[in-house]
């Protein structure tokens, strides 16, 4: 394996004829399926430069991007609070998943957040410009379709999580 390019968080590898992106330092992501007691899902919307569009996503972030050795569950709690303003009394580890195995080695660990309480407005850090949405599960399909109609992209990790609700 040869590293063809390296940035702060990403690098491009070549292995034989195969080229793929990888996270530096082997870090992965923590993704949070946050459901309120009222059967609502907490989603975030933010601009994603690679797509040239705003996306609807589950709250998520890199594990240990600021502090080496951070546990994935600690990253999940931190990201949920930073991005959405919610805190949870418990996190269930729902396993590790591949993001896009044809082009990246990145994986994410999915957590279900329970016992949600809103302590802030969210919005992220360092100019992330995150918009928080709390959507009833019963109306989620129609809400997502309307957002698609507005030009938003839907993160496929949301589909994985919904299968586990």
């Amino acid at each position: 394996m040869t590293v063809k390019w390296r940035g702060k968080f990403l690098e491009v590898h070549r292995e034989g004829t195969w080229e793929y992106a990888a996270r530096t330092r082997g870090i992965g992501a923590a993704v949070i399926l946050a459901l309120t007691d009222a059967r609502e899902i907490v989603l975030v919307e933010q601009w994603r430069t690679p797509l040239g569009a705003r996306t609807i996503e589950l709250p998520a972030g890199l594990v240990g991007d600021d502090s080496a050795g951070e546990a994935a569950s600690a990253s999940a709690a931190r990201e949920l609070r930073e991005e959405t303003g919610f805190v949870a009394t418990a996190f269930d580890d729902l396993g590790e998943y591949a993001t896009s195995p044809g082009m990246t080695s990145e994986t994410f660990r999915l957590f279900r957040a329970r016992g949600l309480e809103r302590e802030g407005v969210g919005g992220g850090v360092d100019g992330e410009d995150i918009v928080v949405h709390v959507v009833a599960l019963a109306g989620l399909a129609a809400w997502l379709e309307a957002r698609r109609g507005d030009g938003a992209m839907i993160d496929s990790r949301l589909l994985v999580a919904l299968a586990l609700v």
Side-chain angles (χ1 to χ4, degrees), residues 102-149:
M103 71 159 289
T104 180
S105 63
E106 181 185 50
T107 61
F108 67 92
R109 185 153 295 278
L110 182 62
F111 292 91
R112 179 186 298 120
R114 293 184 287 115
L116 295 182
E117 185 175 317
R118 193 135 198 202
E119 290 189 349
V121 296
V125 296
D126 299 329
E128 286 181 308
D129 188 30
I130 293 173
V131 177
V132 181
H133 299 284
V134 181
V135 182
L137 285 173
L140 182 61
W143 187 86
L144 289 172
E145 190 59 33
R147 296 300 295 131
R148 241 191 242 89

Side-chain angles (χ1 to χ4, degrees), residues 3-4 9-10 15 17 38 51 60 66-67 89 96 101 107 111 114 120-122 131 153 159 164:
V3 176
K4 304 300 281 179
F9 293 107
L10 291 174
E15 197 165 332
T17 60
L51 297 174
D66 289 330
S67 57
T89 58
E96 187 173 18
T107 61
F111 292 91
R114 293 184 287 115
V121 296
V131 177
M153 296 291 293
L159 302 176
L164 300 172

Side-chain angles (χ1 to χ4, degrees), residues 28-139:
V31 178
I32 306 100
L33 171 59
L35 301 170
T36 69
D37 290 341
R39 301 284 297 157
E40 300 162 315
I41 188 167
V42 180
L43 301 171
V44 295
E45 177 180 340
Q46 59 187 315
W47 177 261
R48 293 298 192 182
T49 298
L51 297 174
R54 295 194 64 79
T55 61
I56 305 299
E57 309 172 8
L58 296 170
L62 298 177
V63 175
D65 60 342
D66 289 330
S67 57
E70 181 181 44
S73 58
S75 294
R78 175 178 47 80
E79 292 292 340
L80 181 64
R81 185 178 57 258
E82 288 174 0
E83 292 191 358
T84 71
F86 281 92
V87 294
T89 58
F91 287 88
D92 302 322
D93 187 336
L94 301 177
E96 187 173 18
Y97 298 84
T99 303
S100 181
M103 71 159 289
T104 180
S105 63
E106 181 185 50
T107 61
F108 67 92
R109 185 153 295 278
L110 182 62
F111 292 91
R112 179 186 298 120
R114 293 184 287 115
L116 295 182
E117 185 175 317
R118 193 135 198 202
E119 290 189 349
V121 296
V125 296
D126 299 329
E128 286 181 308
D129 188 30
I130 293 173
V131 177
V132 181
H133 299 284
V134 181
V135 182
L137 285 173

Side-chain angles (χ1 to χ4, degrees), residues 146-164:
R147 296 300 295 131
R148 241 191 242 89
D150 293 338
M153 296 291 293
I154 310 302
D155 186 342
S156 65
R157 295 178 294 187
L158 179 54
L159 302 176
V160 170
L162 289 176
L164 300 172

